[in-house]
Amino acid sequence: MSSARVLYADTDLAVVVKYAGEVCELPSAAAAHSADRPAAESPAAAEAPCLADVVRPEIEAALGSPVPFCGCVHRLDLPVSGLCVLALNRDCAALLSAQFANRDSVEKTYLAVTELKKNGDDSVHSGTPSPETLLSCHMIFDPKARKARIVAETTRKAKKAELAYRIAGTGERYSFVTVRLLTGRTHQIRCQLAAEGMPVKGDVKYGARRSDPLGGIRLHAYRLRFTHPVTGKRCDFTAPPPVVDTLWQACLDAAAQSAETQSAETQSAEALPACTQPACAQPAPKRRRQARGADE
């Protein structure tokens, strides 16, 4: 049985699509007796549906057997959608957690719709795909404000944060951006893009003008590559946003065109691929608008 949200499943792991408004969490039974909820979680996140619990029935249907353990090994922010890996046993959870923590073999690419970036003369980006830009800084996360901040390297508890972004194209009011995440700090992409003068659409916490009518923010974990901890095979998955409206389609088209241009020019293995689904993936269905709520 195939599932629109479960792109892949075997007895060790599953690759699924998270919707904005769902929380990446430990299995709910364990979380009830644990203090491991991320410090970034807000009261709204505490009441949000747990991704592992939501997709477990679909994973069981795909495998044709019960799944006694199901837990996220990495996290996406509450208002972010995209690809997540779930471990289906504790041994695999430990191996995947170590791999995602080391990041040596994990590659993450995001799509973002951001407010137009202004240049020094108050003009905006021309719309021609830009060269990839590396952002490197140090960040801390304020658990009281539930917000990340860029700080000096010498600041207590500061951690290095790096990403590479490319403006793939622009519309009348928004830029379409691809992001390669090189480290994994809380709210990293949201904070660093905002500091560049291009907050993610809908991300009021980091300076966006207004919330997004679809709910969540326009940041989506589009591509995920990692090594299967049991088979040793290289895994490579892509998935479009859960709801592809006109704005998201423009972003997907711009990213695909930018990737084709970049590939033709450089033949770089790091170029974002054209927006196609892997053989095992199914397009996510449209779903109802989410209620707007407090952000994490």
Side-chain angles (χ1 to χ4, degrees), residues 19-61:
Y19 291 160
E22 294 172 338
V23 63
C24 294
E25 183 58 284
L26 297 169
S28 56
H33 304 91
S34 172
D36 290 336
R37 293 190 73 92
E41 302 293 10
S42 67
E47 301 299 325
C50 171
L51 173 64
D53 289 343
V54 170
V55 300
R56 185 198 297 258
E58 297 184 41
I59 295 172
E60 292 177 334

Side-chain angles (χ1 to χ4, degrees), residues 127-151:
T128 303
S130 69
E132 190 171 64
T133 299
L134 176 68
L135 298 182
S136 181
C137 65
H138 284 74
M139 296 174 57
I140 61 171
F141 186 83
D142 183 344
K144 292 183 178 179
R146 290 190 284 273
K147 189 174 181 180
R149 290 191 290 114
I150 295 175
V151 296

